[in-house]
Amino acid sequence: MHLEKTVQKSDIIKEMLERDTGRRKPRGLPHAILIIVPIIWSIFQLWITSPLPYALGFGILNDTAARSLHLGFAIFLAYLGFPMFKNSPKDRIPFQDWLFALAASFCACYLYIFQDQLARRPGLPTSLDIAVAVAGMILLLEATRRVMGLPMTCVAIIFLCYVFLGPYAPDLIAHRGASLSRAASQFWLTQEGVFGVPLGVSASFVFLYVLFGAMLEGAGAGNYLTALSFALLGQLRGGPAKAAVVASGLHGLISGSSIANVLTCGPVTIMLMKKVGFSAEKAGAVEVAAGSNGQIMPPVMGAAAFLMAEYINMPYSQLIKHAFIPAILAYLSLLYIVHLEACKMGMTAVPRPHKPILHRLLSVGLTVTGSVILVCLIYYFLAWIPSVFGSYSFLIFALFLILGYLALLIVSLRMPPLPEKDYESLLHVESATAVIFSGLYFLMPTATLVWGLMVMEMSPGLAAYYACLLMVFILLTQKPFVAWRRGEPIKPALKFGVSRLLSSMVNGAKNMVGIGLATASAGIVVGSVSLTGVGQVLASVVEIISGGYLPIVLILTAMLSILLGMGLPTTANYIIVSTLLSPVIYNLSAAHGLGIPLLAVHLFCLYFGVMADATPPVALAAFAASGISGGDPFKTGVQGFFYELRTAILPFVFLYNQEILFLHIQNAVHFIWILLTSLMACMAFACATQRFMLIKTRWWEVILLLSAMVFLFRPDIPQNRLYAPFIEAPPEKVLETIEQLPPEANIRLHIVTDFGTRELDQVVVMPFKGDGAEERLASVGVYLAWEGDRLMIDDIAYNSRLEKLGVNMDDPTQVLGAETVNADRPPKWLFSVPGLFLFGLVFLSQRSRRKLMLRSDGLAGGKAAAAGS
């Protein structure tokens, strides 16, 4: 029975690996095609993202052509690399799959081949257009089924059926339906369906980031990051588990997939955790929680983050800045949870020879501090280059990179070789400093990526292109340079470098097949929503179910994300949930005067899409981890979900406390205060859920810890209870209040709309322009007039904020007042202090009880020794 379970779990791991890279392993010419086509695809993606087409004047492709060819490559590899059924041959490619691959590629590339003809007859498809669209949709759904499984395919089919069967749907969600001609144009012949924004982001940005990660892994960065984690934390109590958390976080720099993180780090970290005392389920759960959070770790956050930047129209560099604090909090709190688990199990630090623990910790601390200072100096130096060298800054930066890379490579040759991924060598790393400098040059490509995004403010695709270009240089020169320095033959080393480069291109392209098909299929959902208008219907349904109460809408959104995540990848899950429910949350928050930014709403959807990978009963990351650990998949998933609760509360927090998203931060002191109090809140929550701090917590200590978490995370709750956040001026003073608003404020109108059967009482928040009350109201499209003793909205401009919130002239709307910020309230940070006091109270209580326990244990031991003598 145990052997069968082991075999079954190894099959699960094998299947998950094959899902990303293809399940067929043919020989001969088909094998060569499955290598050559991915390499051509990688070169094509590098070409269309680079500035070379514009510099040379040929090979320039518009968005439609690039998306068309991108899907053509993905769908071709899907049919050749993935069999139709599990029992289909895997050592050869059947004749029908060749036909399917060619037909599907033709349908995908149809927009590129006939782009001129399609541009001359928009919205008037011919019979050939409709036939190609229908065939393309069917072939896309079948390719998605092969690569992604049935759930994604079923979701797309449900939305397709809804498009055609709208007149027969229940009255609440009924619509007039769509003809085959219109549906063909919507889904296949325009950028409103399959070839929409999701596939565009996949073609423009995501591919190069996946390729960048594959190149880093091919160069040996994965082994370096794992060794670095164990060098820094492996000697501490529960060190392998802490190293697993850090390793997965660092792997998030080169991979945006939770399952990939688990399968990359897990074989080493899980076995080491078991070796020091963690159970199979807890070892797997730690890796699940750490691997899942890799998708929220900047600067590479996975495909969904690039889609988010496109949806909310925000530069990706700004997005990763706002996402940084929650990601750091998630990983630091997981580190603390691991520490608490190690303390509960009575673990001790792993002994290391030669140096005392204090000396090693001091050495590591100085090394890390020096590295951080060095990184900051390099960052400010790179930011200084454009202001001094102007148009030559790129050449100066390239020269700096090459010289820095060669210098760090020479330094690495003087260090001991990196420990291999085996248990003993990782547990007994002698010098953390040596490990850090043995692969520090791997951080140069990431520095290039950050420089392009943050300093030069390039597009994400162009920044990734230059990072990939540097990786090509590193892969081709790394081994030959080392061989030259050691006096070894250069030719074999050069061949090895070329081989690593080509294999990285193959792996990167094959990893993109699933993402390309997922974004294309998700485009069906997006196209269906825009074609049928179901988004507005869903908003009404959700509002009726929730009673207009925002927390219930948030819980429904989280539940939908987790439910869809049981069968969909994070990217597709995020696209569907954000398309359907993010407008509902945003508009509902605006109606209540909360003003939650769109960034926070979309991050909320992303976080719970990530949570789905660790949520039973279908927790893919848990299945992958249990296959390595030998534990029960369901128990691993439950434990992983329990660890992930601290990630689940973060979205509910940053929707209201937006300072965690680096919004409304006033200065460096304010930033440090927010970071420290948020970290203390995460620690309080971890101690409460783990029922342990220094010793086992009592029930009243759990209550105090949870209360401390509320004060630290949400100081606005007690602040708003004691002091009203806004002061409302009566109707007769509305114009005067609006005229006195400072330019950086918003107009906040308290209105009530009479819909006949019900009334809607809400506060609308509107940014304004200009001076004077009437001019400011006109800038937001609102015109007021008195009707007797009531101040009414007399007119509303088209497409204004009020109209988007559902207010129109058919329904009389009365203005009850205008709100202004209560300037007499004490600052919000003051209400965090009780949280610190409660946390300190529990800590002191635990420390005194622990001293008593140790003293009593010591007396008992002394009496036992005396009795024995």
Side-chain angles (χ1 to χ4, degrees):
M1 177 66 76
H2 178 72
L3 181 61
E4 290 179 2
K5 186 180 290 188
T6 304
V7 172
Q8 182 182 8
K9 288 175 181 175
S10 64
D11 290 341
I12 292 172
I13 298 176
K14 184 178 179 182
E15 183 177 349
M16 288 180 176
L17 287 170
E18 289 173 343
R19 180 175 290 185
D20 285 339
T21 57
R23 298 176 181 176
R24 282 200 177 113
K25 307 295 179 186
R27 299 178 181 178
L29 181 61
H31 176 70
I33 290 176
L34 285 176
I35 292 177
I36 294 172
V37 172
I39 293 174
I40 295 174
W41 190 12
S42 297
I43 295 173
F44 164 76
Q45 294 290 157
L46 287 167
W47 172 263
I48 64 173
T49 313
S50 74
L52 292 177
Y54 299 95
L56 301 176
F58 71 90
I60 301 174
L61 298 177
N62 57 31
D63 288 344
T64 302
R67 296 173 189 183
S68 176
L69 293 172
H70 178 79
L71 181 58
F73 278 111
I75 206 166
F76 182 80
L77 291 174
Y79 276 104
L80 295 189
F82 294 81
M84 181 178 292
F85 303 109
K86 288 185 178 181
N87 56 357
S88 299
K90 296 181 177 60
D91 57 345
R92 61 183 179 85
I93 303 175
F95 178 72
Q96 66 269 20
D97 280 354
W98 286 103
L99 293 179
F100 288 149
L102 293 173
S105 298
F106 170 76
C107 293
C109 298
Y110 187 79
L111 273 72
Y112 168 69
I113 299 170
F114 299 101
Q115 56 182 329
D116 294 335
Q117 294 90 322
L118 291 171
R120 286 195 292 268
R121 45 183 168 80
L124 299 171
T126 63
S127 299
L128 178 61
D129 294 341
I130 296 175
V132 169
V134 172
M137 293 287 288
I138 294 172
L139 290 169
L140 172 62
L141 292 173
E142 166 59 14
T144 304
R145 182 196 66 82
R146 293 189 182 197
V147 179
M148 307 304 299
L150 273 175
M152 183 73 226
T153 310
C154 290
V155 169
I157 291 174
I158 289 171
F159 276 87
L160 274 176
C161 292
Y162 177 66
V163 168
F164 293 106
L165 301 178
Y168 309 101
D171 292 340
L172 187 61
I173 59 172
H175 63 95
R176 64 180 181 178
S179 64
L180 184 61
S181 173
R182 188 182 178 197
S185 296
Q186 177 82 8
F187 289 117
W188 202 263
L189 303 178
T190 67
Q191 293 187 2
E192 300 296 326
V194 169
F195 298 95
V197 171
L199 187 64
V201 171
S202 175
S204 303
F205 309 145
V206 178
F207 189 101
L208 290 191
Y209 282 83
V210 173
L211 180 62
F212 175 67
M215 287 180 172
L216 274 173
E217 187 67 38
N223 184 37
Y224 169 69
L225 295 176
T226 303
L228 178 62
S229 305
F230 277 87
L232 294 174
L233 299 173
Q235 79 280 9
L236 303 178
R237 180 182 296 184
K242 294 174 182 176
V245 174
V246 174
S248 292
L250 293 174
H251 272 271
L253 298 174
I254 63 176
S255 170
S257 168
S258 56
I259 296 173
N261 283 347
V262 170
L263 294 178
T264 301
C265 302
V268 175
T269 58
I270 289 176
M271 293 306 173
L272 281 172
M273 282 188 272
K274 290 178 64 178
K275 186 171 183 179
V276 297
F278 281 84
S279 66
E281 285 75 20
K282 286 190 175 182
V286 169
E287 188 58 53
V288 166
S292 298
N293 286 351
Q295 296 180 88
I296 62 174
M297 188 66 188
V300 181
M301 296 171 58
F306 298 102
L307 284 164
M308 186 190 306
E310 197 74 14
Y311 282 155
I312 64 178
N313 195 25
M314 173 181 285
Y316 185 70
S317 58
Q318 293 295 316
L319 175 62
I320 60 178
K321 181 184 79 172
H322 294 305
F324 177 74
I325 296 181
I328 291 296
L329 290 177
Y331 270 104
L332 290 179
S333 56
L334 182 58
L335 273 175
Y336 188 61
I337 287 175
V338 167
H339 175 74
L340 294 178
E341 289 281 13
C343 292
K344 284 197 289 186
M345 289 183 276
M347 293 183 181
T348 56
V350 178
R352 290 189 179 178
H354 307 308
K355 294 181 181 179
I357 182 68
L358 184 60
H359 186 279
R360 289 197 300 269
L361 287 177
L362 183 62
S363 175
V364 170
L366 291 174
T367 302
V368 172
T369 303
S371 301
V372 171
I373 293 174
L374 178 63
V375 168
C376 293
L377 290 175
I378 291 174
Y379 175 81
Y380 286 110
F381 170 73
L382 297 179
W384 170 77
I385 289 177
S387 61
V388 175
F389 295 98
S391 58
Y392 297 98
S393 59
F394 179 78
L395 295 176
I396 299 297
F397 178 72
L399 180 64
F400 169 78
L401 273 181
I402 294 173
L403 294 177
Y405 159 67
L406 294 176
L408 291 175
L409 193 56
I410 292 173
V411 170
S412 71
L413 294 176
R414 300 179 180 178
M415 302 295 157
L418 282 172
E420 296 297 327
K421 286 189 175 181
D422 63 82
Y423 308 149
E424 296 302 325
S425 60
L426 285 172
L427 275 179
H428 298 92
V429 176
E430 293 291 335
S431 171
T433 305
V435 174
I436 290 173
F437 284 101
S438 63
L440 201 57
Y441 60 90
F442 284 125
L443 300 183
M444 299 298 285
T446 305
T448 304
L449 184 65
V450 174
W451 182 76
L453 289 172
M454 307 297 290
V455 178
M456 298 302 293
E457 296 183 351
M458 298 177 180
S459 68
L462 190 59
Y465 166 75
Y466 287 120
C468 288
L469 212 60
L470 179 59
M471 280 308 308
V472 171
F473 179 77
I474 290 176
L475 284 166
L476 292 178
T477 59
Q478 179 186 13
K479 295 298 181 182
F481 185 81
V482 171
W484 173 70
R485 291 282 298 182
R486 292 175 176 172
E488 299 172 354
I490 298 178
K491 189 175 181 180
L494 183 60
K495 286 183 177 179
F496 181 80
V498 172
S499 173
R500 280 293 180 93
L501 173 61
L502 295 178
S503 64
S504 299
M505 287 184 169
V506 172
N507 292 333
K510 287 185 175 181
N511 289 340
M512 271 302 300
V513 172
I515 297 175
L517 293 178
T519 51
S521 299
I524 296 175
V525 177
V526 177
S528 300
V529 171
S530 61
L531 183 61
T532 61
V534 70
Q536 296 178 354
V537 175
L538 185 65
S540 302
V541 173
V542 171
E543 187 174 350
I544 292 171
I545 294 174
S546 64
Y549 190 52
L550 184 59
I552 295 180
V553 177
L554 297 177
I555 293 172
L556 290 174
T557 304
M559 291 173 61
L560 179 63
S561 295
I562 292 175
L563 182 65
L564 288 176
M566 293 180 181
L568 303 185
T570 303
T571 304
N573 186 358
Y574 164 74
I575 293 171
I576 294 172
V577 175
S578 63
T579 301
L580 295 176
L581 290 179
S582 63
V584 180
I585 299 173
Y586 181 71
N587 291 331
L588 193 59
S589 70
H592 285 76
L594 297 176
I596 296 176
L598 201 56
L599 164 70
V601 176
H602 279 260
L603 275 176
F604 183 92
C605 298
L606 174 63
Y607 266 62
F608 280 98
V610 170
M611 277 286 296
D613 283 344
T615 304
V618 186
L620 296 179
F623 272 91
S626 64
I628 299 170
S629 68
D632 182 85
F634 185 78
K635 291 181 180 178
T636 302
V638 170
Q639 188 67 51
F641 176 76
F642 191 62
Y643 289 154
E644 280 286 77
L645 284 177
R646 94 265 178 238
T647 303
I649 65 170
L650 283 173
F652 287 98
V653 172
F654 62 57
L655 281 179
Y656 296 95
N657 186 6
Q658 294 147 24
E659 293 162 324
I660 296 179
L661 296 179
F662 213 80
L663 296 170
H664 318 302
I665 297 293
Q666 299 169 1
N667 48 49
V669 175
H670 188 194
F671 170 74
I672 294 172
W673 175 261
I674 292 297
L675 188 61
L676 291 178
T677 54
S678 300
L679 183 58
M680 292 289 287
C682 289
M683 293 173 65
F685 183 74
C687 292
T689 53
Q690 294 295 312
R691 296 293 305 274
F692 193 90
M693 183 185 279
L694 301 177
I695 55 175
K696 187 176 180 180
T697 56
R698 294 173 175 171
W699 65 267
W700 59 269
E701 290 176 329
V702 172
I703 294 175
L704 290 181
L705 287 170
L706 293 176
S707 302
M709 181 199 71
V710 173
F711 277 106
L712 293 168
F713 260 148
R714 294 287 312 279
D716 57 302
I717 292 178
Q719 183 191 34
N720 293 338
R721 292 286 182 182
L722 297 174
Y723 301 92
F726 301 99
I727 300 174
E728 184 172 321
E732 56 270 15
K733 292 190 176 181
V734 164
L735 295 179
E736 179 184 346
T737 302
I738 293 175
E739 190 165 352
Q740 293 175 355
L741 288 174
E744 67 275 6
N746 293 319
I747 296 175
R748 299 178 60 89
L749 288 182
H750 182 192
I751 63 175
V752 58
T753 305
D754 185 3
F755 293 103
T757 56
R758 64 185 179 93
E759 289 186 349
L760 178 60
D761 191 320
Q762 58 183 332
V763 175
V764 292
V765 183
M766 299 168 289
F768 62 83
K769 297 178 182 178
D771 298 318
E774 293 185 358
E775 183 180 349
R776 290 177 171 184
L777 284 170
S779 71
V780 297
V782 176
Y783 303 90
L784 305 180
W786 286 94
E787 292 183 6
D789 59 348
R790 298 195 307 170
L791 182 61
M792 307 294 292
I793 293 181
D794 185 55
D795 195 11
I796 300 172
Y798 172 73
N799 204 31
S800 63
R801 182 69 174 271
L802 272 183
E803 188 184 58
K804 292 178 180 178
L805 290 174
V807 180
N808 56 67
M809 294 312 302
D810 296 332
D811 305 309
T813 302
Q814 180 183 357
V815 178
L816 300 182
E819 294 184 346
T820 55
V821 176
N822 184 0
D824 296 330
R825 294 201 309 168
K828 189 167 71 171
W829 65 266
L830 197 61
F831 294 88
S832 299
V833 175
L836 297 174
F837 173 76
L838 293 175
F839 188 87
L841 185 64
V842 175
F843 176 80
L844 293 175
S845 170
Q846 293 245 322
R847 190 175 70 169
S848 62
R849 282 168 39 218
R850 186 185 180 201
K851 285 182 178 179
L852 290 175
M853 290 175 61
L854 293 175
R855 190 179 304 164
S856 61
D857 290 343
L859 291 174
K863 291 178 180 179
S869 63

